[in-house]
Amino acid sequence: MNPTVVSFIYLVAGVLFILGIKGLTKPKTAVRGNKLSALGMLIAVIVTLLDGDVVNYNFIIAGVLVGSGIGAVMALKIQMTSMPQMVALLNGFGGGASLTIALAEYFSKLGSAPESFSEILTPVVATSSNFGSGPEGTIALVSIGLTVLIGALTLTGSLVAFAKLQELMKKSYGLPGGPIGNGIFLVASAVAVVCLVLNPGNTAAMVAIVGLALLLGLFLVMPIGGADMPVVIALLNSYSGIAAALAGFILGNTVLIVAGSLVGTSGLILTQIMCVAMNRSLTNVLFGKMAAGGEVIDADEIYAGKVTSAQPDEVAMMLEMAKRVVIVPGYGMAMAQAQHAVRELADSMEAKGVEVEYGIHPVAGRMPGHMNVLLAEAEVPYDKLVEMERINPTFEDTDVVIVIGANDVTNPMARESEGSPIYGMPILNVDKAKNVVVIKRSLSPGFAGLPNPLFAMDHTVMVYGDGKKAVVEMTTALNQA
Amino acid sequence: MNPTVVSFIYLVAGVLFILGIKGLTKPKTAVRGNKLSALGMLIAVIVTLLDGDVVNYNFIIAGVLVGSGIGAVMALKIQMTSMPQMVALLNGFGGGASLTIALAEYFSKLGSAPESFSEILTPVVATSSNFGSGPEGTIALVSIGLTVLIGALTLTGSLVAFAKLQELMKKSYGLPGGPIGNGIFLVASAVAVVCLVLNPGNTAAMVAIVGLALLLGLFLVMPIGGADMPVVIALLNSYSGIAAALAGFILGNTVLIVAGSLVGTSGLILTQIMCVAMNRSLTNVLFGKMAAGGEVIDADEIYAGKVTSAQPDEVAMMLEMAKRVVIVPGYGMAMAQAQHAVRELADSMEAKGVEVEYGIHPVAGRMPGHMNVLLAEAEVPYDKLVEMERINPTFEDTDVVIVIGANDVTNPMARESEGSPIYGMPILNVDKAKNVVVIKRSLSPGFAGLPNPLFAMDHTVMVYGDGKKAVVEMTTALNQA
Amino acid sequence: MEILILLLALFILSLFLGVELITKVPPTLHTPLMSGTNAVSGITLVGALLAAGSDSSPLLVNGLGFVAVTLATINVVGGYLVTNRMLAMFKRK
Amino acid sequence: MEILILLLALFILSLFLGVELITKVPPTLHTPLMSGTNAVSGITLVGALLAAGSDSSPLLVNGLGFVAVTLATINVVGGYLVTNRMLAMFKRK
Ligand SMILES: NC(=O)c1ccc[n+]([C@@H]2O[C@H](COP(=O)([O-])OP(=O)(O)OC[C@H]3O[C@@H](n4cnc5c(N)ncnc54)[C@H](OP(=O)(O)O)[C@@H]3O)[C@@H](O)[C@H]2O)c1
Ligand SMILES: NC(=O)c1ccc[n+]([C@@H]2O[C@H](COP(=O)([O-])OP(=O)(O)OC[C@H]3O[C@@H](n4cnc5c(N)ncnc54)[C@H](OP(=O)(O)O)[C@@H]3O)[C@@H](O)[C@H]2O)c1
């Protein structure tokens, strides 16, 4: 095909990606946006296949078939409650793809590919001119090295994130020396990149980059707590976007630049939104544990003798009398898969003339917008999901707040106790409501590991038990009343 | 200078323009944004001067000195009430600049410039290769022709707009045949462009383009009513932006493309905002008179015996009793230069514990945001200026609305009488307030030429007189009460 | 070098555009945004196709290309499908 | 031609960016926006400088260039100054 036509079609694909993201700015246009974006991808793929450089279709057909199969099964089988894991896994595959592409590019430009493992470590005679003339060759080598590094790190990092979210890995491991150990690893891989650029035929340096980066991904993410995984994933996603944009520079390809920049900014902005919503800096999320807190807070002292508990049918009586109820979901609702039960409870209340809204904290659950997706699955209309800033002033006029599986995002210590590690994090002020019902299995803390004075307040009752079971019992009691 | 460095600096200038417009999205950052934008301009100019192509500084220095002098005097002397005229005039100068640049480009590439007028009309031997090799020469010629056309049209069109806004030209003149006559002119100038492209040495064709486009600008704008001038100006401004972007294509200059596109979209979006706010299509603004209206509305019938008038001191008594007052300014406030007087009246009311807000219609006055600028000059804080959508629901709880020099934007016919030419235009629902005070000199209509049933309502009183005088008298009476 | 500046200009403008667009995405759609941009980042598939389909090159390159195509396709197909599944659930009352 | 596509890409992205930015400008600032973009459109001054300062060309060209520089400078200087004057007046309570 005429190269101008090819470039033009790539540009069209880039515009489709822009329109896709633009569609995502409104729920109404979002489905169409996603389809436009997918269309852009299809066009870019087709044009690449027709572009003449591709002659051997066997591997491609095999890869596309296998990949589509796996991707489709994953996408259609996954439960909505497991969305964070799914995104982590997809992100890992993306990293793996970048890694293998850069490796393939390296060995193909090198000319002589090794046949056995011992051969891999034998240096080959090559100069940067294999990769492009003059400075372009060096730039290409640097970009290959960096892409391998980012790709490998994203691969293992995302897999660890997946394992943590899926609760396959519960404990935290880190390199001895913590950030310093990681720093040494990072410096070592950077040195390997420099070696590769200086002596492009030094295949052992390439192997070293791959190995170091894979390990670095493991060690960087393993010490980070499970609930902080979304931040890690957004950040890794942003890196992969920037890497794609850099590749676009090398290839002079507009669609890579446009798509890569969009992904890069998206990841960074989501990271920042999460950090602001938690009132923590990015460094703190990545390297710090949560601030240790001035004094150790004694949970027993806070709770002792002050916690009231109730049965679901008692709560149902409260709900029947209420004019306005706000439901505040958290990670526990996802764990209990209680979203449908919650919707049914809300339906019953509304049938009795109660006004029901949902108060959604920006970092409730395990990824931004997690609760919105779950409740959308349960067919709760999205205009009932009210953001923190807008729901907070209404709590004073609310008769009952039902907190289901949320903890940290309702903890009044964030507002009041200056020494607390979560001090300054904006929260849902559920304690301002006339009555608070908290549904969880025990008094055990949430992700931040802190006791929650909300549970000990006079106007709070605890309903102990699995979230779904408790809610179903409330609905039954309410319908019989 | 190294061409890469030059291109890079142009890119920096483009980024500064973007940051400038970004600053304008918030009143707080707007001043800084404007300065960044001006800095971008300065950088672009300096880099051009240093770029080596410029060798003869005499004309430049003369032009910059004269231009800066005139520009600065205009900018510093102009009264805020005359802002629409100022923008029209500046826009005209912009058009004149595009026109002369394109002409200079044409004659310089042509090689042999004429010395006398008769020589101008004598064709020169030239081919498109004078303007660039192969298709690029043709593209350059087309762009020169179009720039001349748009520039000349913008020049005279803006000058007419200026004359209308300044009330130097009150009547409307058009070509016989109206739109058809204009169409013939447009086709003729397009033909002249084609002649020029086919035979680049045909200087007579260039003269024809200039002459036809200058006339076309006159005839296009002269029939359009004075209050519709802002739409015309925004549209012409948008054209000049697009023309600059096209020039950027030819020169491969990033800053021209970025700046031109920003200006182009800005003009188009403002045009669209105005049309929506008036519920009229762009074609209707440009070519139609206002819709003739089903039946002729008899002003006497509406007003006869139903209009109550009052003196300023009677109004002052009403204001003293009020809890909440909304001030609705219009074109008449600008005419009367009453903005400072209005602020003082509001101050007096606030000193007596009255809550005061301003209701701003998007097309009140003679350009978008006109009222906001005037009231800002009178040091009214901008958070007291409330947009139509937000002020409308509050009129029911408002004791007194003071309408000063506004007419069409308060006309209830737009809401209620289906046959009316302004039916469907969103208005300020001042008639929903408990009392309405209208300050204007007579019962004569506003721009749309329609009687206003608001003036005849039971809860409306008219205060006849010049806006400033009436308001000052009210303030005096209020302060003495 | 002229081309490099143009690519840089494109990159910078895309970043600005990205910031403007992404900050407009409401919190309700943040999860689909994450999975959706994840799918977009699968645009590396373009590079994977070139690697897997190149002609004369050694088997290792084609093999790596095959792995790359598979992984990138999972990313793309999985990402768009799951995003579509989520978005289809968002309904107004 | 490659360059033309890149310029086209830049143009399209600028248009998208323009739409996103301009629609965010609040009505309060619409008048300064008009005068401010008017000043930006004075970027044609760059072209005027090249015309007025070119070397060997005939006097007519330099004369036209002089007129162009004058008009464009009025546009730029007048536009930025008047915008600045207006914006400086906007104050919060
Ligand atoms: N969403 C994000 O994007 C994001 C990003 C970064 C960090 N985070 C962090 O994640 C946390 C989210 O706060 P959150 O309030 O949603 O959750 P949380 O503070 O982690 O608390 C979840 C609560 O759910 C309860 N629970 C677990 N399984 C349950 C079940 N089957 N039935 C009923 N209850 C159950 C647990 O109590 P029991 O064990 O007593 O039942 C636990 O206290 C915050 O600390 C936030 O900073 C979120
Ligand atoms: N702003 C924009 O961007 C824009 C754009 C396009 C079109 N328009 C059009 O412009 C019109 C604007 O509406 P508007 O309500 O602001 O103005 P208007 O309908 O034109 O009415 C202005 C009123 O002010 C009065 N007036 C004039 N001089 C006065 C003075 N010295 N003291 C007191 N009153 C005085 C006039 O009545 P007397 O003669 O009786 O005093 C006149 O009725 C609309 O029709 C709109 O569609 C505006």
Side-chain angles (χ1 to χ4, degrees):
Chain A
M1 261 204 280
N2 179 330
T4 311
V5 175
V6 171
S7 311
F8 182 77
I9 295 182
Y10 277 139
L11 175 57
V12 171
V15 169
L16 285 170
F17 288 138
I18 294 175
L19 291 176
I21 303 274
K22 217 167 138 66
L24 275 179
T25 56
K26 283 191 202 106
K28 253 198 238 167
T29 55
V31 173
R32 205 189 48 199
N34 188 51
K35 284 183 182 153
L36 286 178
S37 175
L39 180 66
M41 188 63 77
L42 188 68
I43 290 181
V45 166
I46 290 179
V47 116
T48 310
L49 289 178
L50 296 181
D51 187 20
D53 284 349
V54 174
V55 284
N56 180 344
Y57 288 89
N58 298 340
F59 290 98
I60 293 182
I61 294 176
V64 167
L65 284 183
V66 175
S68 308
I70 301 181
V73 169
M74 279 174 65
L76 300 176
K77 290 273 153 159
I78 189 93
Q79 287 192 323
M80 283 300 144
T81 44
S82 310
M83 211 38 82
Q85 292 90 302
M86 171 85 179
V87 172
L89 210 54
L90 287 178
N91 204 46
F93 291 147
S98 298
L99 167 66
T100 41
I101 293 166
L103 283 178
E105 173 93 356
Y106 173 71
F107 285 115
S108 95
K109 290 277 171 64
L110 208 57
S112 71
E115 305 275 325
S116 71
F117 186 73
S118 63
E119 230 177 276
I120 290 188
L121 294 175
T122 325
V124 181
V125 182
T127 66
S128 77
S129 64
N130 286 36
F131 295 85
S133 62
E136 280 184 18
T138 312
I139 296 183
L141 265 172
V142 171
S143 106
I144 287 179
L146 289 181
T147 310
V148 167
L149 209 163
I150 294 181
L153 194 154
T154 303
L155 173 63
T156 49
S158 301
L159 290 181
V160 173
F162 168 76
K164 289 220 166 195
L165 287 168
Q166 188 71 14
E167 311 218 320
L168 297 175
M169 178 191 290
K170 297 209 179 168
K171 278 185 66 179
S172 295
Y173 312 86
L175 267 186
I180 300 174
N182 288 336
I184 295 175
F185 254 73
L186 192 62
V187 170
S189 19
V191 168
V193 173
V194 173
C195 287
L196 186 76
V197 174
L198 293 180
N199 180 2
N202 187 353
T203 44
M206 182 50 103
V207 173
I209 303 176
V210 175
L212 286 169
L214 287 175
L215 285 176
L216 189 59
L218 290 182
F219 286 126
L220 275 178
V221 181
M222 279 199 302
I224 302 176
D228 283 338
M229 281 308 126
V231 185
V232 174
I233 296 170
L235 206 62
L236 290 176
N237 193 11
S238 150
Y239 288 160
S240 65
I242 300 290
L246 286 179
F249 263 80
I250 310 306
L251 303 174
N253 184 321
T254 54
V255 73
L256 280 176
I257 294 189
V258 172
S261 319
L262 291 177
V263 175
T265 44
S266 159
L268 283 182
I269 290 175
L270 285 175
T271 306
Q272 199 208 355
I273 288 175
M274 285 186 262
C275 287
V276 168
M278 296 190 293
N279 193 36
R280 289 164 67 195
S281 72
L282 185 56
T283 355
N284 178 285
V285 171
L286 295 184
F287 298 113
K289 328 191 176 330
M290 304 215 40
E295 331 98 78
V296 179
I297 303 137
D298 187 353
D300 285 346
E301 195 180 297
I302 290 185
Y303 294 144
K306 295 188 211 137
V307 177
T308 343
S309 81
Q311 292 304 311
D313 48 351
E314 297 169 58
V315 174
M317 282 167 59
M318 265 167 73
L319 296 178
E320 218 198 335
M321 318 277 284
K323 284 223 183 60
R324 175 182 160 83
V325 173
V326 173
I327 298 176
V328 171
Y331 178 56
M333 182 181 81
M335 290 297 287
Q337 305 241 25
Q339 64 270 31
H340 293 279
V342 167
R343 213 281 320 281
E344 279 156 26
L345 176 60
D347 284 352
S348 297
M349 286 194 276
E350 286 184 330
K352 300 212 181 263
V354 184
E355 180 196 341
V356 183
E357 282 189 331
Y358 297 78
I360 310 290
H361 192 280
V363 291
R366 287 294 177 266
M367 80 189 301
H370 195 183
M371 296 297 119
N372 306 66
V373 170
L374 293 184
L375 292 169
E377 190 202 4
E379 301 195 0
V380 177
Y382 60 76
D383 32 10
K384 293 213 145 194
L385 311 182
V386 186
E387 290 165 40
M388 179 167 65
E389 290 78 35
R390 286 200 296 127
I391 199 94
N392 263 344
T394 72
F395 280 121
E396 291 181 24
D397 305 324
T398 301
D399 301 299
V400 185
V401 170
I402 305 178
V403 176
I404 162 155
N407 190 341
D408 298 341
V409 299
T410 63
N411 194 331
M413 282 207 291
R415 216 174 45 219
E416 283 148 17
S417 100
E418 275 205 39
S420 151
I422 58 168
Y423 181 69
M425 164 172 160
I427 57 158
L428 290 167
N429 297 323
V430 297
D431 52 325
K432 309 266 179 193
K434 291 176 198 137
N435 295 286
V436 182
V437 177
V438 177
I439 305 175
K440 66 200 290 284
R441 294 165 309 180
S442 65
L443 280 177
S444 63
F447 170 67
L450 296 171
N452 190 340
L454 173 74
F455 303 161
M457 289 186 175
D458 287 344
H459 62 316
T460 303
V461 295
M462 306 293 299
V463 177
Y464 295 116
D466 173 69
K468 184 166 176 185
K469 198 167 143 278
V471 171
V472 168
E473 284 172 20
M474 279 180 206
T475 313
T476 317
L478 187 63
N479 285 342
Q480 284 163 356
Chain B
M1 260 203 281
N2 179 330
T4 311
V5 176
V6 172
S7 311
F8 182 77
I9 296 181
Y10 278 139
L11 176 56
V12 171
V15 170
L16 285 170
F17 288 138
I18 293 175
L19 291 175
I21 303 273
K22 218 168 136 69
L24 275 179
T25 55
K26 282 192 204 108
K28 253 197 238 168
T29 55
V31 174
R32 205 189 47 198
N34 189 50
K35 285 182 180 152
L36 286 178
S37 175
L39 180 65
M41 189 63 78
L42 188 68
I43 290 181
V45 167
I46 291 179
V47 112
T48 310
L49 289 178
L50 296 181
D51 187 19
D53 284 350
V54 174
V55 284
N56 180 344
Y57 287 89
N58 299 340
F59 290 98
I60 293 182
I61 295 177
V64 167
L65 285 182
V66 175
S68 309
I70 300 180
V73 168
M74 279 175 65
L76 300 177
K77 290 275 153 171
I78 189 95
Q79 287 192 322
M80 283 300 146
T81 44
S82 310
M83 212 36 84
Q85 290 91 302
M86 171 86 178
V87 172
L89 211 53
L90 288 177
N91 204 47
F93 291 148
S98 298
L99 167 66
T100 42
I101 293 166
L103 283 178
E105 172 94 356
Y106 172 71
F107 285 115
S108 93
K109 290 278 171 65
L110 207 57
S112 71
E115 304 278 319
S116 70
F117 187 74
S118 64
E119 229 177 276
I120 290 189
L121 294 174
T122 326
V124 181
V125 182
T127 65
S128 75
S129 64
N130 286 35
F131 295 84
S133 61
E136 280 184 18
T138 312
I139 295 183
L141 266 172
V142 171
S143 106
I144 287 179
L146 289 181
T147 311
V148 167
L149 209 163
I150 294 181
L153 192 153
T154 305
L155 174 62
T156 49
S158 302
L159 290 180
V160 173
F162 168 77
K164 290 218 166 198
L165 288 167
Q166 189 69 15
E167 312 217 321
L168 298 176
M169 179 192 288
K170 298 207 177 168
K171 279 185 66 179
S172 295
Y173 311 86
L175 268 187
I180 299 174
N182 289 335
I184 294 175
F185 254 73
L186 191 63
V187 170
S189 20
V191 169
V193 173
V194 172
C195 286
L196 186 78
V197 174
L198 293 181
N199 179 2
N202 186 353
T203 44
M206 181 51 101
V207 173
I209 303 177
V210 175
L212 286 169
L214 287 175
L215 285 178
L216 190 58
L218 291 182
F219 287 126
L220 275 178
V221 181
M222 282 200 299
I224 302 177
D228 283 338
M229 282 307 124
V231 184
V232 174
I233 297 170
L235 206 62
L236 289 176
N237 193 12
S238 149
Y239 288 160
S240 64
I242 300 289
L246 287 179
F249 263 80
I250 310 304
L251 304 173
N253 186 320
T254 54
V255 73
L256 280 176
I257 294 188
V258 172
S261 320
L262 291 177
V263 175
T265 44
S266 158
L268 283 182
I269 290 174
L270 285 175
T271 305
Q272 199 208 357
I273 288 175
M274 285 186 262
C275 287
V276 168
M278 297 190 291
N279 192 36
R280 289 165 66 196
S281 73
L282 185 56
T283 354
N284 179 285
V285 171
L286 295 184
F287 298 114
K289 330 193 174 326
M290 307 214 41
E295 332 99 77
V296 179
I297 303 138
D298 187 356
D300 285 345
E301 195 180 297
I302 290 184
Y303 294 142
K306 294 187 211 140
V307 179
T308 342
S309 81
Q311 292 303 313
D313 47 351
E314 298 170 60
V315 173
M317 283 167 59
M318 265 167 74
L319 295 178
E320 217 198 335
M321 317 280 282
K323 284 225 181 62
R324 174 182 161 82
V325 172
V326 173
I327 299 176
V328 171
Y331 177 56
M333 182 180 83
M335 290 298 286
Q337 307 241 25
Q339 63 270 31
H340 293 278
V342 166
R343 214 280 322 280
E344 280 155 26
L345 176 60
D347 284 351
S348 297
M349 286 194 275
E350 285 184 332
K352 300 214 180 262
V354 184
E355 178 196 342
V356 183
E357 281 189 332
Y358 297 78
I360 311 289
H361 191 280
V363 293
R366 285 296 177 268
M367 80 190 301
H370 195 183
M371 297 296 118
N372 307 67
V373 170
L374 293 183
L375 293 168
E377 189 202 3
E379 301 196 0
V380 176
Y382 59 75
D383 31 12
K384 294 210 144 197
L385 311 182
V386 187
E387 290 164 40
M388 178 167 67
E389 289 79 34
R390 285 201 297 126
I391 199 93
N392 263 343
T394 73
F395 281 120
E396 289 180 26
D397 305 323
T398 301
D399 301 299
V400 185
V401 170
I402 305 178
V403 175
I404 162 154
N407 190 342
D408 297 342
V409 299
T410 63
N411 194 331
M413 281 207 291
R415 217 173 43 219
E416 283 147 18
S417 100
E418 273 206 41
S420 153
I422 57 168
Y423 181 69
M425 163 171 161
I427 58 158
L428 291 166
N429 297 323
V430 297
D431 52 325
K432 309 266 179 192
K434 290 177 199 135
N435 295 286
V436 182
V437 176
V438 178
I439 305 175
K440 65 200 292 285
R441 295 165 308 178
S442 64
L443 280 177
S444 64
F447 170 67
L450 295 172
N452 190 340
L454 173 75
F455 304 160
M457 288 185 175
D458 287 344
H459 62 315
T460 302
V461 295
M462 305 295 298
V463 178
Y464 295 117
D466 173 71
K468 185 167 176 184
K469 199 168 143 281
V471 171
V472 168
E473 284 172 20
M474 278 180 205
T475 314
T476 318
L478 188 64
N479 285 344
Q480 284 164 356
Chain C
M1 277 324 250
E2 187 60 16
I3 289 207
L4 216 61
I5 293 281
L6 285 177
L7 292 172
L8 183 65
L10 202 61
F11 179 58
I12 293 177
L13 259 91
S14 304
L15 289 181
F16 272 107
L17 186 59
V19 171
E20 295 305 322
L21 287 178
I22 305 286
T23 49
K24 268 195 188 164
V25 175
T28 299
L29 295 179
H30 276 170
T31 296
L33 174 67
M34 267 181 109
S35 63
T37 52
N38 213 319
V40 172
S41 76
I43 186 69
T44 44
L45 180 52
V46 166
L49 292 175
L50 291 174
S54 65
D55 185 17
S56 55
S57 42
L59 200 64
L60 176 70
V61 171
N62 284 337
L64 284 169
F66 164 72
V67 177
V69 170
T70 309
L71 291 177
T73 308
I74 297 180
N75 201 352
V76 168
V77 173
Y80 280 118
L81 276 184
V82 85
T83 308
N84 192 58
R85 222 183 111 198
M86 271 188 267
L87 290 175
M89 297 179 327
F90 282 89
K91 286 194 196 81
R92 208 191 189 95
K93 192 164 50 174
Chain D
M1 279 323 254
E2 188 60 18
I3 291 208
L4 216 61
I5 292 281
L6 285 176
L7 293 172
L8 183 65
L10 203 60
F11 179 57
I12 293 177
L13 259 90
S14 304
L15 289 180
F16 272 108
L17 186 58
V19 170
E20 295 305 322
L21 287 177
I22 304 286
T23 48
K24 267 196 190 164
V25 175
T28 300
L29 295 179
H30 276 168
T31 295
L33 174 67
M34 266 180 110
S35 63
T37 51
N38 213 318
V40 172
S41 76
I43 186 67
T44 45
L45 181 51
V46 165
L49 292 174
L50 292 174
S54 66
D55 187 17
S56 55
S57 42
L59 199 65
L60 176 71
V61 172
N62 284 337
L64 283 170
F66 164 72
V67 176
V69 170
T70 310
L71 291 177
T73 309
I74 298 179
N75 200 352
V76 168
V77 173
Y80 280 118
L81 277 184
V82 86
T83 309
N84 192 59
R85 223 183 111 199
M86 272 189 268
L87 290 175
M89 298 179 326
F90 282 90
K91 287 192 194 82
R92 211 195 186 92
K93 194 165 49 174

